[in-house]
Amino acid sequence: MLRSSSKTILIIAAAVIIVVAAVYLIVGPLGNGTDRSGAPAGGGEAAVLAPYATGAMENFKQEVPAKAAPDLAFKDGDGKDVRLSDFRGKLVLLNLWATWCVPCREEMPALNRLEAAMGSDRFQVLALSVDKDGHDLAKAFLAEVKADHIALYNDPTSRASFAMKAFGLPTTVLLSPEGKEVGRLVGPAHWDGPEARALVEAALKAYPAR
């Protein structure tokens, strides 16, 4: 009788192992919430950019799922009204900066080189100065550092920082073509390095224009 019970237990244990192994092969490790393609179980959004948060991009944090960004209002280089929604249809790297912010000034040339290398109808570096009444200051600084690939945009109200919950400068937010925040990096970074380019390229694939 005891032997029969032992055999039954062994058979049940073996069956459980087989079922668990089958589930592992189909959906991956239990509890990771993703299928074998890296997409979350149930068809949600995956943290596809997380593997690119290395080196110069180690402080980049992906927003999963992506969230709608506020439709910021600001001025272009000619003083005309512009909204963030005007840039829909392309991946946007929104950099909030100010002329009084030393780290912002130091990273601007790198942002300019990134725009020069990767700027297109699919991707744009949007450097938004939040200097109060700082149009002329921002324009003079961009000219000083020869940021000839960066267009001048200014928010004289500085409301953009509060709307984007950017409590420190610089803050750089990656926006999808649909205008959703897919991630951000707080603080300065080497935006012209290979890690930054790899991150942008991965985002272009993950969030294609529609």
Side-chain angles (χ1 to χ4, degrees), residues 101-199:
C101 167
V102 175
C104 301
R105 295 171 66 94
E106 291 176 347
E107 78 169 355
M108 190 58 68
L111 286 164
N112 185 64
R113 287 190 286 272
L114 177 63
E115 173 65 16
M118 302 192 69
S120 67
D121 58 351
R122 298 175 59 216
F123 172 73
Q124 179 176 347
V125 174
L126 198 170
L128 177 59
S129 162
V130 293
D131 286 278
K132 291 185 177 180
D133 301 319
H135 177 277
D136 292 340
L137 288 174
K139 182 177 181 180
F141 170 70
L142 292 177
E144 176 188 336
V145 298
K146 296 181 174 56
D148 50 353
H149 293 280
I150 297 289
L152 173 61
Y153 295 103
N154 174 242
D155 172 22
T157 70
S158 296
R159 292 174 184 167
S161 293
F162 295 99
M164 294 299 299
K165 297 181 180 179
F167 303 116
L169 295 180
T171 291
T172 307
V173 182
L174 189 62
L175 301 168
S176 73
E178 290 76 31
K180 293 184 177 181
E181 178 179 340
V182 300
R184 68 171 57 196
L185 189 154
V186 178
H190 296 290
W191 289 104
D192 55 343
E195 294 94 348
R197 295 190 186 189
L199 175 66

Side-chain angles (χ1 to χ4, degrees), residues 28-44:
L30 294 176
N32 73 350
T34 62
D35 61 22
R36 299 185 72 189
S37 68

Side-chain angles (χ1 to χ4, degrees), residues 45-62:
E45 183 180 346
V48 293
L49 300 183
Y52 299 91
T54 61
M57 296 291 103
E58 65 178 352
N59 291 327
F60 178 84
K61 306 298 181 184
Q62 185 176 352

